[in-house]
Amino acid sequence: MTDIMRKIVLSAAAVLLAAACGQNDDWNVYNGDYTVDRNTVIVLNGRNVDISDYENAEISIMVKEGNNCDIILRNFITGQPEITVPASLETGDTKAAAGAGFSGSTEAADRTVRVEGMTADTSLASISITEEITVEGIPGKWALDSIRTAFFHPSLEEIDFSEAVPGLILSVDELTAMINSYINSTVRQDPSISGSFIEFTRDGYINPSEDLLCYYIRPADNTMYIFLRKSIVEEITDSITANPDIMAVITMLGLTSFIDTPQSMSIPLQYSIADGGLTVTASQVILDPYEDMLTEPLAMISAILYSMDYEDFSSLLGDTLAPLAGIITEDNFAAFKEVLINTFNTLTDGQAEYSVSAVLIPFTE
């Protein structure tokens, strides 16, 4: 190879190497964190969102090779504080330290996540996320078939009403069966229930026309979580604080801490799928995160029960007492009150296990 040819080859190689290095450097300038600010446009499953629900959200871009990267989403996906999405970067003709587009998709826990967006300088200019639940047997429209309640306490097998009604002693199983029979008789006779449905959408909403509730699933332990975003919880607490009667009760029970600092909430439900049906169950574990906060209110309720007389009881229940006319009277109220107090103490001593299950069947229009 002549010296001239060698110089040409070496020069060409140097140019290619410089170009390659320059290309990598151009993509690497997009490495970093991009936060949400008031100018960020967020679209989730085709819906515009309340920006306050994403005040702690951000993405991180980690460039790998060429324009390939990982996009780390934090506090964007319902039920998943952080997920990593393999993605690619795109820019216009001029590459700069801001303004990169990104797009990618991944399978994450209970859903497929597709994301695309655009960075600004240190924040997100826009992000659009599309989700699709991949757990079969849950998405769809469901009608209520029946309700099942259950109760167990290691030291309570029966409830003795004989002081109020001679000879009336009911086992817990008998009482539970009576409650279930009454509830399900009401369900069957109510046309508004038989003609309605609950819908779990493929993109993670419950009854999408209301756009209030979301859900996510943990298939490994058969748990479905009902999720209320912070903005929804704030709407609920605002309506509560606007009602002086309700606020008086909440203040009396020492429950104001529940509404002083509203946050998003996840409500765990167990689920099972069998024979084309879906059963969802709420149990006492729902209250576990609030155990410390409930200590004072429960003590207050217990004190109220102990101090209540028949007139207080009648006034408290109002018209709802009508079905009990002839059963709970001024003469036997003291005995019923003792049963009520004992039952309340049993329910709140930390040993009881109780649940309510909704048995759902496919809704046919």
Side-chain angles (χ1 to χ4, degrees):
M1 182 181 293
T2 65
D3 290 341
I4 294 176
M5 183 63 71
R6 185 185 301 276
K7 289 179 180 179
I8 293 173
V9 171
L10 291 176
S11 296
V15 170
L16 291 172
L17 180 60
C21 292
Q23 178 79 348
N24 287 335
D25 289 341
D26 284 338
W27 293 118
N28 285 331
V29 299
Y30 301 115
N31 277 325
D33 301 330
Y34 299 86
T35 58
V36 168
D37 63 23
R38 60 186 179 85
N39 296 315
T40 304
V41 176
I42 303 175
V43 177
L44 180 64
N45 299 313
R47 297 168 169 85
N48 291 321
V49 303
D50 190 318
I51 198 71
S52 67
D53 289 329
Y54 296 88
E55 58 190 7
N56 297 317
E58 67 174 10
I59 73 165
S60 292
I61 295 179
M62 300 176 62
V63 175
K64 298 167 71 176
E65 182 179 357
N67 68 332
N68 295 319
C69 67
D70 282 338
I71 303 290
I72 301 174
L73 302 177
R74 297 188 182 92
N75 300 317
F76 273 108
I77 306 303
T78 303
Q80 301 183 53
E82 181 175 303
I83 70 168
T84 299
V85 181
S88 60
L89 297 172
E90 296 180 0
T91 63
D93 295 334
T94 303
K95 297 179 177 63
F102 55 86
S103 62
S105 65
T106 192
E107 298 285 336
D110 64 340
R111 66 194 63 200
T112 297
V113 175
R114 298 178 180 85
V115 61
E116 60 182 24
M118 178 71 69
T119 66
D121 189 4
T122 59
S123 63
L124 272 174
S126 64
I127 185 169
S128 176
I129 299 171
T130 303
E131 302 165 300
E132 183 176 358
I133 301 294
T134 53
V135 179
E136 294 300 329
I138 293 179
K141 294 180 179 180
W142 299 95
L144 178 62
D145 181 64
S146 60
I147 298 288
R148 292 199 303 253
T149 64
F151 177 83
F152 169 78
H153 191 283
S155 62
L156 182 64
E157 295 183 357
E158 61 183 23
I159 301 178
D160 187 350
F161 297 96
S162 59
E163 288 291 329
V165 180
L168 183 57
I169 300 175
L170 293 175
S171 71
V172 170
D173 290 342
E174 288 174 325
L175 185 59
T176 301
M178 291 172 61
I179 293 172
N180 286 336
S181 177
Y182 175 77
I183 292 175
N184 287 300
S185 175
T186 303
V187 167
R188 287 189 295 270
Q189 294 174 18
D190 189 338
S192 66
I193 295 177
S194 60
S196 62
F197 63 85
I198 182 171
E199 180 177 7
F200 298 106
T201 68
R202 276 286 178 188
D203 52 3
Y205 291 87
I206 301 175
N207 292 344
S209 61
E210 300 171 10
D211 202 16
L212 297 177
L213 303 176
C214 302
Y215 74 98
Y216 60 96
I217 305 166
R218 292 292 176 266
D221 56 6
N222 289 335
T223 305
M224 172 196 295
Y225 291 83
I226 308 302
F227 183 69
L228 287 77
R229 300 192 188 282
K230 180 183 176 182
S231 59
I232 302 301
V233 176
E234 287 176 340
E235 288 183 19
I236 296 171
T237 56
D238 286 347
S239 66
I240 291 173
T241 55
N243 188 314
D245 293 334
I246 296 177
M247 277 303 300
V249 174
I250 288 176
T251 302
M252 179 187 68
L253 295 177
L255 291 171
T256 54
S257 57
F258 278 95
I259 59 177
D260 287 341
T261 54
Q263 299 294 326
S264 60
M265 296 176 60
S266 289
I267 303 171
L269 305 174
Q270 293 298 118
Y271 73 88
S272 61
I273 302 168
D275 301 324
L278 172 65
T279 300
V280 292
T281 301
S283 70
Q284 74 282 347
V285 300
I286 289 177
L287 299 178
D288 287 351
Y290 312 105
E291 183 177 358
D292 293 339
M293 299 174 68
L294 289 172
T295 301
E296 181 182 346
L298 291 176
M300 180 70 71
I301 294 172
S302 180
I304 292 172
L305 290 176
Y306 275 102
S307 64
M308 184 181 295
D309 58 23
Y310 182 73
E311 290 183 359
D312 295 331
F313 181 72
S314 300
S315 175
L316 178 65
L317 294 185
D319 292 339
T320 59
L321 185 62
L324 299 178
I327 299 177
I328 301 179
T329 67
E330 190 169 3
D331 293 335
N332 65 21
F333 173 71
F336 267 107
K337 174 180 169 180
E338 183 178 356
V339 173
L340 184 62
I341 290 172
N342 291 338
T343 302
F344 177 79
N345 291 337
T346 300
L347 287 172
T348 57
D349 68 1
Q351 300 183 65
E353 297 177 11
Y354 42 88
S355 64
V356 178
S357 298
V359 181
L360 306 175
I361 57 175
F363 177 77
T364 54
E365 302 186 46

